[in-house]
Amino acid sequence: MSDARSLAMALVAESFGVDNGELVIGGVGARALVEAYGSPLYVYDEGVMRRRFRALKAAVDGFARVFYSIKANPAVARVFVEEGAGLEVASGAEYLQARAAGAEPESILFAGPGKSAKELDLAIAGGIGEIHLECFEEIEIVARLAARLGRRVPVAIRVNPGPGAQGGAMRMGGKPLAFGFDEEILDEVVCAVTRHAALDLSGLHLFAGTQILDAKVLLAQWAYGLGLAVRLGGLIGRPLRRIDLGGGLGIPYHQGDGALDLAAVSQGVRRLIGERAADPLLRSAEIVIEPGRYLAGPAGVYLMRVRNVKLSRGQRFIVADGGMHHQLAASGNLGQIIKRDYPIVAATRLDAPLLGDTQLVGPLCTPLDTLGRQTALPQLVAGDIVAVLQSGAYGLSASPVGFLGHPMPAEAMAQDGGHRLIRRAGDFSAPLVNLTLEPVASA
Amino acid sequence: MSDARSLAMALVAESFGVDNGELVIGGVGARALVEAYGSPLYVYDEGVMRRRFRALKAAVDGFARVFYSIKANPAVARVFVEEGAGLEVASGAEYLQARAAGAEPESILFAGPGKSAKELDLAIAGGIGEIHLECFEEIEIVARLAARLGRRVPVAIRVNPGPGAQGGAMRMGGKPLAFGFDEEILDEVVCAVTRHAALDLSGLHLFAGTQILDAKVLLAQWAYGLGLAVRLGGLIGRPLRRIDLGGGLGIPYHQGDGALDLAAVSQGVRRLIGERAADPLLRSAEIVIEPGRYLAGPAGVYLMRVRNVKLSRGQRFIVADGGMHHQLAASGNLGQIIKRDYPIVAATRLDAPLLGDTQLVGPLCTPLDTLGRQTALPQLVAGDIVAVLQSGAYGLSASPVGFLGHPMPAEAMAQDGGHRLIRRAGDFSAPLVNLTLEPVASA
C-alpha cells in the first residue's frame, strides 16, 4: 500500500505538480479544471506528452523514427504530429482521425488483422504510406484494390517471430497468433506479394509485445527485427525502405513496476546503429518504432468528484461520479489477469494523512464499477476530487461509455497554466448520441 | 468442447430455428438479416423475450410483479413495457430511456450507489415510483430536493443483508458492499428516513446476487427478503407498500451451466405465497422482482461475417468483422475471472462437421479481441456468418464501442418472419458521433 502510494507520488512529482495540497496538471489546479469542464473529466498535460516524445526521439536518435500508435488515444494525436511523429492506424476511422490530426498520408501506416475492403480502399485512394499485410487473403485484396485504382501500393509484411526469438531472457516468439505471418513461411509470403505488380514490397513489421518495461527485452526485440529485415532483404535481393519494429514500450501502473530505462535504451541503440551501418541491407532503411501508451499514458489524468463516503461493515467506500464506464482498464476489466489498483490520489488533499484499505467505486449499479480495491486515500468529503493517474492511453476510447447511460466526460488539454477543451461533455438529458434508438416502427 | 457445442445447439433449439443449415432468428435467416442491416449486427428475437417474460410472470403469479432492469439492454425495454413490466433504472439517462420506452413514472424504480442531485431531481419532478436509498447522504439529498419541489417522494431502503443470510447452502450476506445499508443498522436508517416529512418510506430493496442459476438460492434470497420486510414493517409500525427482491436470475453461458429451473421456482413460490398471506405486514405489499439478463439475454444474437481464415503454427484463426468492441463480455473482459467461450455457432453452416480448437478473433489490433478460445467451428470462408448466442443482455451497451473507431453495428428486432431496425449502423467515414473531437483552438 505504501509502495502503491509512493508510485503515485513519484508520478505526480515526475509529471505534474502540487500546490497547497492540490494536484496541478499542466500548471492548472484540478479544482479549476473540474470547475471549467465538469466532473468526471479527462485532462491531458500537453507538455508531458511533448517531453516524453522528445526524450524518446533523442534516445533513438540516428536509429529510428518515432510514430505514434493512435489507438492508444486518438484525442491527442495532433500533439505528436506537431512534434514530427508519423501515425500508426488500425482502422479506417483511425486513418481519418490521423488525417484530421494533420498527418500526411505518406506518414501513416495501417496494420490490423481484419481490415475491410472499404477501409483498405479509403487508405489506398488517400495515398497511405504503407499497408501492413496480415494474411494471404489480404495480399490478394490489396493487390486487387490497388490495381483497380491504378496505384502501386507500398506494403509491409507483418511477421510473427519464430520460436528462436528471444527478448532478454524471455522467449518472445513461436506462438500462434492472429497477427501477421509466421516467420517460418516468409519465403512463401514473399512469393505471394512480389508476384503482384500493384504491390510495392517496401517494409517489414515485427509483431511486438505489449507493456514492456525492460530495456533489454525491447532491445533484443529490435535486434531480432533487424535480423529479420536482413533475411527479407536477402529474399527480395534489395534493401527494404522501412523496418517497423513495433511498439510495446510500457509504463508503470502498479506497485513494483519499474519505469522503462531510456538511458539503457539509448545505450543499446548505439550498438544497433553500428550493426545497421555495417549492413548494406539495413543502411538505407527508415527504422520505425510506434509506441502509444508510452507517449500518452503518463500525460493523462481521470478526475472524479466524490459523491458519497460510506462505511459498510468497517470497510470505507468512496463513491465517485466517475468509474469503469470511462476508465475500464483501471477497473481491471481490460485484459488484466489480476485486478490491481492504478495509481490513485486525492487531488484536493495530497498532503492529508492517508487512511488505508479504502474502496473507490463509481456510480454504476454493479460491483464491477470498482477503481480502487485497497487504496490509501485520506479523509474525503463530497466534492473532493480523486485522480486516476496513468490514464492517457487506453482510457476513455477503450471504455464502455454507454453502459448505464451516464454522460460522456469532457476531455481537456492543459499546458503552461492554460487549458482548452478538446471534447465537450455529454448531457444525460440529451439522448446519448449514436446510442440513440430509431423510432420503433411496427413489424 | 462437445459440451460447449451441445449448449449452443440446445440454445438454438430452445429459442431459434435452423433452415437448411442456416440459423433462423424470429423466423428470419441470419443471411437475410445481415443483408438487410449489415455486419456486424445485433438481432433480438422479440418472441423469445415475450415468451420468457410470460413464463416468468406465470411462475411467480400471485406472488410478485416482474420489472425489467433496463441496464441489461435499454434497446429492448419497450417489449417488456408492452408486456406490463415496470422498469428498474440506475441513472438519469435510464430514467429517460424508460419513459421513452413507454413506462409510466410510477412504474419506474431508481437504484444506484452514486445518483447525482440532477438525476434525482429529474426523477422526483417526473413523479417516479420509488427511489432506492443507498447511503445517509442520499437520504438528506432526496429529502431536500423533494421538499424544494413540494413533493412527498416514495423511497425504499436498500439493504445489504447480514451475515445470517443464506441462499441455499451459500452464505449470501455479511459482506461489505457499496450498495445499500448494512442490515445491522436498519433501525438507524429508519430513523434517518422517517424524520423527513418529504420522504414516504414505501419500500425495501434487497441487494441481490447476480447470475443465479439455482432456484434454491433464489428462493432463499426471496424468503430472506420477506423476513426483512416484516422486520422493517415492525420498525415503522405498518406494512410496506413494495418489497423489491432484486434480480440476479441467471442464464447459462458456459459448458456445465444449467438453466434456472422455472418449475422449481414456481413450486417454491407457492410456499412463499402462503407465508405472505399469513402475515399482515406482508399481505398488502406489492412484491417486485427485477431481472434483466434473464429476460433479454437469450433473445439476442451478435452476428459477424468472417473476413479471413488463417493458420498460425497449426492453430486455426477465424478473423471476423465483429469483436470485443461490441461484445466485451464475450471476450471475457467484463468481470469474468476465467475467460471461457460464450456459445458460438456458424450461422451459415450449422449442419457442417466441426473442426475443434479454433480461435475466433475480431478486427481490432489487440490480442484482447478474442471471442472464441477453443471453439468448435466448421470449415468457414470469407462471407460466412458466425453467431454469438446469449448476447441480448450486457452486450452492445456494455462494450467499448469507440475502441479503434469501428462503426456502431445496427440493432434489429425479428419476430414471426418479420424484422425491423431499432438502431441504425454507424459509418466509419462519418465522424464517430459523440466521440468527435471539438476543433482544437490554441491554448
Coordinates of all heavy atoms in Angstrom, one line a residue, chain A residues 210-243:
Chain A
T210 N 3.7 -6.2 -25.6 CA 3.0 -5.0 -25.1 C 3.5 -4.8 -23.6 O 3.9 -5.7 -23.0 CB 1.5 -5.2 -25.1 OG1 0.8 -4.0 -24.7 CG2 1.0 -6.3 -24.2
Q211 N 3.5 -3.5 -23.2 CA 3.8 -3.1 -21.9 C 5.1 -3.7 -21.4 O 5.3 -4.3 -20.4 CB 2.6 -3.6 -21.0 CG 2.6 -3.3 -19.5 CD 2.8 -1.8 -19.2 OE1 2.7 -1.0 -20.1 NE2 3.2 -1.5 -18.0
I212 N 6.1 -3.5 -22.3 CA 7.5 -3.9 -22.0 C 8.2 -2.9 -21.1 O 8.3 -1.7 -21.5 CB 8.3 -4.2 -23.3 CG1 7.6 -5.3 -24.1 CG2 9.7 -4.5 -23.0 CD1 8.1 -5.4 -25.5
L213 N 8.7 -3.2 -20.0 CA 9.3 -2.3 -19.1 C 10.8 -2.5 -19.0 O 11.5 -1.7 -18.4 CB 8.7 -2.4 -17.6 CG 7.2 -2.0 -17.5 CD1 6.6 -2.4 -16.2 CD2 7.1 -0.5 -17.8
D214 N 11.3 -3.6 -19.6 CA 12.7 -3.9 -19.5 C 13.4 -3.6 -20.8 O 13.1 -4.1 -21.9 CB 12.8 -5.4 -19.2 CG 14.2 -5.9 -19.1 OD1 15.1 -5.3 -19.5 OD2 14.3 -7.0 -18.5
A215 N 14.4 -2.6 -20.7 CA 15.1 -2.2 -21.9 C 15.7 -3.3 -22.7 O 15.8 -3.3 -23.9 CB 16.1 -1.1 -21.5
K216 N 16.2 -4.3 -21.9 CA 16.9 -5.5 -22.6 C 16.0 -6.2 -23.5 O 16.3 -6.6 -24.6 CB 17.5 -6.4 -21.5 CG 18.7 -6.0 -20.9 CD 19.5 -7.1 -20.2 CE 18.7 -7.7 -19.0 NZ 18.5 -6.8 -17.9
V217 N 14.7 -6.4 -23.0 CA 13.7 -7.1 -23.8 C 13.4 -6.4 -25.1 O 13.4 -6.9 -26.2 CB 12.4 -7.3 -23.0 CG1 11.3 -7.9 -23.9 CG2 12.7 -8.3 -21.8
L218 N 13.3 -5.0 -24.9 CA 12.9 -4.2 -26.1 C 14.1 -4.2 -27.1 O 13.9 -4.4 -28.3 CB 12.7 -2.8 -25.5 CG 12.0 -1.8 -26.5 CD1 10.6 -2.3 -26.7 CD2 12.0 -0.4 -25.8
L219 N 15.3 -4.1 -26.6 CA 16.5 -4.1 -27.5 C 16.7 -5.4 -28.2 O 17.0 -5.4 -29.4 CB 17.7 -3.7 -26.7 CG 17.8 -2.2 -26.2 CD1 18.7 -2.0 -25.1 CD2 18.1 -1.3 -27.4
A220 N 16.4 -6.5 -27.5 CA 16.5 -7.8 -28.1 C 15.5 -7.9 -29.2 O 15.8 -8.5 -30.3 CB 16.3 -8.9 -27.0
Q221 N 14.3 -7.4 -29.0 CA 13.3 -7.5 -30.0 C 13.7 -6.6 -31.2 O 13.5 -7.1 -32.4 CB 12.0 -6.9 -29.4 CG 10.8 -6.9 -30.2 CD 9.6 -6.4 -29.4 OE1 9.1 -7.1 -28.5 NE2 9.1 -5.2 -29.8
W222 N 14.2 -5.5 -31.0 CA 14.7 -4.6 -32.1 C 15.8 -5.3 -32.9 O 15.8 -5.3 -34.1 CB 15.1 -3.3 -31.6 CG 14.0 -2.4 -31.0 CD1 12.7 -2.8 -31.1 CD2 14.1 -1.2 -30.4 NE1 11.9 -1.8 -30.5 CE2 12.7 -0.8 -30.0 CE3 15.1 -0.3 -30.0 CZ2 12.4 0.4 -29.4 CZ3 14.8 0.9 -29.4 CH2 13.5 1.2 -29.0
A223 N 16.7 -5.9 -32.2 CA 17.8 -6.6 -32.8 C 17.3 -7.7 -33.7 O 17.7 -8.0 -34.8 CB 18.8 -7.1 -31.8
Y224 N 16.3 -8.4 -33.1 CA 15.7 -9.5 -33.9 C 15.0 -9.0 -35.1 O 15.1 -9.6 -36.2 CB 14.7 -10.3 -33.0 CG 14.3 -11.6 -33.6 CD1 15.1 -12.7 -33.3 CD2 13.2 -11.8 -34.4 CE1 14.8 -14.0 -33.9 CE2 12.9 -13.0 -34.9 CZ 13.7 -14.1 -34.7 OH 13.4 -15.3 -35.2
G225 N 14.4 -7.9 -35.0 CA 13.7 -7.3 -36.2 C 14.7 -6.9 -37.3 O 14.5 -7.1 -38.5
L226 N 15.9 -6.4 -36.9 CA 16.9 -6.1 -37.9 C 17.4 -7.3 -38.6 O 17.6 -7.3 -39.8 CB 18.1 -5.4 -37.2 CG 17.8 -4.0 -36.6 CD1 19.1 -3.3 -36.1 CD2 17.0 -3.1 -37.6
G227 N 17.5 -8.4 -37.8 CA 17.9 -9.7 -38.4 C 16.9 -10.2 -39.5 O 17.3 -10.6 -40.6
L228 N 15.7 -10.0 -39.1 CA 14.6 -10.4 -40.0 C 14.6 -9.6 -41.3 O 14.3 -10.1 -42.4 CB 13.2 -10.2 -39.3 CG 12.6 -11.4 -38.6 CD1 11.2 -11.0 -38.0 CD2 12.4 -12.6 -39.6
A229 N 14.9 -8.3 -41.1 CA 14.9 -7.4 -42.2 C 16.0 -7.8 -43.2 O 15.9 -7.7 -44.4 CB 15.1 -5.9 -41.8
V230 N 17.2 -8.2 -42.6 CA 18.3 -8.7 -43.5 C 17.8 -9.9 -44.3 O 18.1 -10.0 -45.5 CB 19.5 -9.0 -42.6 CG1 20.6 -9.7 -43.4 CG2 20.1 -7.7 -42.0
R231 N 17.1 -10.8 -43.5 CA 16.7 -12.0 -44.2 C 15.7 -11.7 -45.3 O 15.8 -12.2 -46.4 CB 16.0 -12.9 -43.2 CG 15.8 -14.3 -43.7 CD 15.2 -15.3 -42.7 NE 14.4 -16.2 -43.5 CZ 13.2 -16.7 -43.1 NH1 12.8 -16.5 -41.8 NH2 12.5 -17.5 -43.9
L232 N 14.8 -10.8 -45.0 CA 13.8 -10.4 -46.0 C 14.4 -9.7 -47.2 O 14.1 -10.0 -48.4 CB 12.7 -9.6 -45.4 CG 11.5 -9.1 -46.2 CD1 10.9 -10.3 -47.0 CD2 10.4 -8.5 -45.4
G233 N 15.4 -8.8 -46.9 CA 16.1 -8.1 -47.9 C 16.8 -9.1 -48.8 O 16.9 -8.9 -50.1
G234 N 17.4 -10.1 -48.2 CA 18.1 -11.2 -49.0 C 17.2 -11.9 -49.9 O 17.5 -12.2 -51.1
L235 N 15.9 -12.2 -49.4 CA 15.0 -12.9 -50.2 C 14.5 -12.1 -51.4 O 14.3 -12.6 -52.5 CB 13.7 -13.2 -49.4 CG 13.8 -14.4 -48.4 CD1 12.6 -14.4 -47.5 CD2 14.1 -15.7 -49.1
I236 N 14.4 -10.7 -51.3 CA 14.0 -9.9 -52.4 C 15.1 -9.3 -53.2 O 15.0 -8.6 -54.2 CB 13.0 -8.8 -52.0 CG1 13.6 -7.9 -51.0 CG2 11.7 -9.5 -51.4 CD1 12.7 -6.7 -50.6
G237 N 16.4 -9.5 -52.7 CA 17.5 -9.0 -53.4 C 17.7 -7.5 -53.3 O 18.5 -7.0 -54.2
R238 N 17.2 -6.9 -52.4 CA 17.4 -5.4 -52.2 C 17.0 -5.0 -50.8 O 16.2 -5.7 -50.2 CB 16.5 -4.6 -53.3 CG 15.1 -4.9 -53.1 CD 14.2 -4.0 -54.0 NE 12.8 -4.5 -54.0 CZ 11.9 -4.2 -53.1 NH1 12.2 -3.4 -52.1 NH2 10.7 -4.6 -53.2
P239 N 17.5 -3.9 -50.4 CA 17.1 -3.5 -49.0 C 15.7 -3.0 -48.9 O 15.1 -2.5 -49.9 CB 18.1 -2.3 -48.7 CG 18.7 -1.9 -50.0 CD 18.4 -3.0 -51.0
L240 N 15.1 -3.2 -47.8 CA 13.7 -2.6 -47.5 C 13.8 -1.1 -47.3 O 14.9 -0.6 -47.0 CB 13.1 -3.2 -46.3 CG 12.9 -4.8 -46.3 CD1 12.5 -5.3 -45.0 CD2 11.7 -5.0 -47.3
R241 N 12.7 -0.4 -47.6 CA 12.8 1.0 -47.3 C 12.4 1.3 -45.9 O 12.7 2.4 -45.4 CB 11.8 1.7 -48.3 CG 12.3 1.7 -49.8 CD 11.7 2.9 -50.5 NE 10.2 2.9 -50.5 CZ 9.4 2.1 -51.2 NH1 9.9 1.3 -52.1 NH2 8.1 2.2 -51.1
R242 N 11.6 0.4 -45.3 CA 11.1 0.7 -43.9 C 11.1 -0.5 -43.1 O 10.7 -1.6 -43.6 CB 9.7 1.4 -44.0 CG 9.3 1.8 -42.6 CD 7.9 2.4 -42.6 NE 7.8 3.7 -43.2 CZ 7.1 4.1 -44.3 NH1 6.4 3.2 -44.9 NH2 7.1 5.3 -44.7
I243 N 11.6 -0.4 -41.9 CA 11.5 -1.5 -40.9 C 10.8 -1.1 -39.7 O 11.3 -0.2 -38.9 CB 13.0 -2.0 -40.5 CG1 13.8 -2.3 -41.8 CG2 12.9 -3.2 -39.6 CD1 15.3 -2.4 -41.5

